[in-house]
């Protein structure tokens, strides 16, 4: 009767994704071979194989088969490999206009650590930055630490924009002539004014101006890229010349 072969299997303990797992095999029998099999098609003939850069799909039960070369007797043992993970997704309401509020948002379970431009830090899950300036624009990094000690990071880019707008015209103009309005600031334009005037042109014109077309014209400019808006006004006036005619009286 051949002496029974023994097998013992263990591992280096739970690790986070990207960590290293060491499988440990042993036997009280001398002159044996080791064969490992496990998750994700893992196979090895080493006594103590190493799994580098471990990922979630490599977690699970690993089986060790020990075979005595002299007798051909074998024994098996198993060990469970635990690979922890953490998740983090950062988002925001970007783009934000100057003096607006930046709303940062995090998903993932655990504790939160934010870091960003202008010395910003926060441990809140969803922090708010009030009265934003262009100095608050840039990349914000979120680190989530799960209860298993594993960490994950995510980055969100925040744009803080502003816009400078001006409005003008060729006022004053003579009655019946053309009033030319002009705006700058970039993006899209929305004009409004007397007599229900509206226009989406940057530099609209009003032909044959008369008294109802005089007054205040307002342009609202929406910037391209950051959706910020600003307004400007210009006053249109009209020259109305007067004329008198007479003569030197009756003559012979």
């Amino acid at each position: 009767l051949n002496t029974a072969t023994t097998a013992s299997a263990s591992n280096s303990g739970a690790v986070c994704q990207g960590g290293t797992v060491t499988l440990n095999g042993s036997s009280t029998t001398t002159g044996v071979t080791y064969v490992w099999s496990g998750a994700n098609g893992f196979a090895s003939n080493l006594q103590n194989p190493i799994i580098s850069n471990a990922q979630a799909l490599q977690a699970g039960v690993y089986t060790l088969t020990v075979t005595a070369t002299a007798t051909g007797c074998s024994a098996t043992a198993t060990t469970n490999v635990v690979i922890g993970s953490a998740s983090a997704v950062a988002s925001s309401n970007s783009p934000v206009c100057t003096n607006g509020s930046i709303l940062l948002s995090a998903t993932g379970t655990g504790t939160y650590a934010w870091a960003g431009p202008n010395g910003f830090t926060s441990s809140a899950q969803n922090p708010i930055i009030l009265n934003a300036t262009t100095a608050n624009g840039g990349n914000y990094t979120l680190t989530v630490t799960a209860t298993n000690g594993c960490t994950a990071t995510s980055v969100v880019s925040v744009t803080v924009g502003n816009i400078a707008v001006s409005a003008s015209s060729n006022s004053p103009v003579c009655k019946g002539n053309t009033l030319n309005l002009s705006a700058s600031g970039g993006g899209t334009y929305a004009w409004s004014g007397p007599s229900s005037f509206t226009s989406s042109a940057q530099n609209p014109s009003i032909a044959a101006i008369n008294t109802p077309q005089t007054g205040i014209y307002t342009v609202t400019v929406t910037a391209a890229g950051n959706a910020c808006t600003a307004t400007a006004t210009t006053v249109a006036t009209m020259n109305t010349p007067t004329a008198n005619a007479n003569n030197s009286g009756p003559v012979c």
Side-chain angles (χ1 to χ4, degrees):
L1 182 64
N2 292 324
T3 303
T5 303
T6 64
S8 178
S10 63
N11 66 77
S12 53
V15 297
C16 297
Q17 288 194 56
T20 298
V21 176
T22 300
L23 299 173
N24 302 307
S26 64
S27 175
T28 58
T29 307
T30 58
V32 297
T33 60
Y34 297 88
V35 176
W36 286 93
S37 62
N40 198 38
F42 177 83
S44 176
N45 293 323
L46 298 176
Q47 180 180 354
N48 303 310
I50 294 174
I51 303 172
S52 300
N53 191 28
Q55 300 300 312
L57 51 76
Q58 293 168 302
V61 176
Y62 285 72
T63 300
L64 169 66
T65 300
V66 177
T67 303
T69 55
T71 64
C73 295
S74 62
T76 61
T78 61
T79 184
N80 186 45
V81 171
V82 176
I83 300 173
S85 64
S87 63
V89 178
S91 60
S92 76
N93 62 332
S94 176
V96 177
C97 297
T98 301
N99 296 321
S101 296
I102 299 174
L103 307 179
L104 299 173
S105 179
T107 59
T109 303
T111 59
Y112 306 89
W114 287 92
N118 209 31
F120 174 80
T121 60
S122 176
S123 59
Q125 180 178 359
N126 304 311
I128 299 174
I129 302 172
L130 302 175
N131 301 317
T133 68
T134 54
N136 299 119
N139 291 331
Y140 287 77
T141 301
L142 166 69
T143 300
V144 176
T145 302
T147 54
N148 58 14
C150 299
T151 61
T153 61
S154 179
V155 179
V156 61
S157 180
V158 172
T159 300
V160 180
N162 54 25
I163 182 172
V165 177
S166 66
S168 60
S169 73
N170 63 333
S171 175
V173 295
C174 294
K175 179 180 179 179
N177 286 356
T178 299
L179 173 66
N180 297 318
L181 301 172
S182 180
S184 65
T188 59
Y189 299 85
W191 284 93
S192 62
S195 296
S196 301
F197 172 80
T198 60
S199 176
S200 59
Q202 179 178 357
N203 304 311
S205 296
I206 302 173
I209 186 173
N210 207 333
T211 302
Q213 284 83 46
T214 60
I216 298 174
Y217 287 80
T218 301
V219 62
T220 300
V221 180
T222 302
N226 59 28
C228 296
T229 61
T231 62
T233 60
T234 183
V235 178
T237 59
M238 181 182 68
N239 286 329
T240 305
T242 60
N244 294 311
N246 55 47
N247 61 74
S248 57
V251 295
C252 294

